[in-house]
Structure formats: structure tokens, C-alpha cells
Amino acid sequence: MNELSNLRPPRGATKTRKRLGRGVGSGLGKTAGKGHKGQKARKSPDVGTYFEGGQMPMQRRLPKIGFTNIFAKKFVTVNVAELTRFPAGARVDEVLLRATGLIKGRFDAIKILGDGDLDRALTVVADKFTRTAEEKITAAGGTVEKTSGAEV
């Protein structure tokens, strides 16, 4: 019967640690698996991941390049050709685009690009449109609605 005085972990839950440096016959005696001498054989081999033995490390030898604008807006793009999957007269907005898998993930705005042709009248709702995209949608008899959401 399990009582507080005789509790023990279930079989296989614990593993006895490998006892290093307990005689040559153990296979891990003498140097205890650390090889011979050197910085990494000492008690506290505190060498960083990128330490190169005193040589100028790679991250300092190479020049700093690039810049990441933390205020940049992330646009998700949809081409006019991809809108042909919707039936004529449909209202194409973010909800419908997500439901069909054309857009995924997090973004700040949707932009419709003018690549491809459109052969049906659709009401397309997005944050931005290229000039050719607007022309192709209106030429097909559809309408363009720009959302007045976040300033993009």
C-alpha cells in the first residue's frame, strides 16, 4: 500500500546517472570522457558557442548590414486572376478571402494586384488596389471598395 513513508517513482521514470572517473575498468575513468588537457577538460569549461580560441570571432569579422523597420506595414497581396474562383456578383472581402485560403496569418492590410484577367463582376473590398487592378475590376463590371481601416 502506498503511504507517504514509502512513495517511490514508477518503474522506468528515473535513470541512474553515469558515474564518471571511477577507475579505468569502467570505461570512463582517468579523464572521465573529457580527453586530455585543454580548456574543455577543466572543471568549468566556460566557452561560449561562438568562441574561437581568442581569434576574432566570425560575428565581429563580418560587417553589419541591413536594417529592419519595426514600423513597416505588412501587406498581403492577392492577384486579380485569383478572384475568378468567386461567383459573379460576390462581395470579396477579408472574411471570404480567409475562408477560401487565399490569405492567411497576420497582416496590416490587403492589397489587390493587377496580374491576370477578370471575366465577372465582383465587389472587391480591400485596403489598397494597384491602378491596373482597379481598371480590370471595373472593366469586368465590378466595383472597388477601399476600406478606411488603419492608415496604410
Side-chain angles (χ1 to χ4, degrees), residues 32-100:
K34 289 177 175 262
H36 291 277
K37 299 184 180 176
Q39 186 173 14
K40 291 181 183 172
R42 307 296 179 212
K43 179 181 147 202
S44 304
D46 195 21
V47 280
T49 312
Y50 300 106
F51 185 70
E52 296 185 26
Q55 175 173 292
M56 182 67 73
M58 181 67 80
Q59 74 270 20
R60 288 186 58 201
R61 286 198 301 262
L62 299 173
K64 291 192 281 186
I65 57 166
F67 168 75
T68 302
N69 182 3
I70 60 169
F71 301 107
K73 301 285 184 229
K74 185 177 181 200
F75 284 90
V76 64
T77 58
V78 178
N79 277 308
V80 169
E82 294 169 324
L83 301 178
T84 56
R85 68 175 67 189
F86 302 110
R91 180 180 168 83
V92 182
D93 56 358
E94 181 181 347
V95 177
L96 187 61
L97 290 170
R98 276 191 190 276
T100 53

Side-chain angles (χ1 to χ4, degrees), residues 83-84 86-92 118-124 136-144:
L83 301 178
T84 56
F86 302 110
R91 180 180 168 83
V92 182
L118 189 63
D119 58 352
R120 60 199 70 180
L122 298 171
T123 303
V124 185
K136 287 179 181 181
I137 293 167
T138 51
T143 55
V144 168

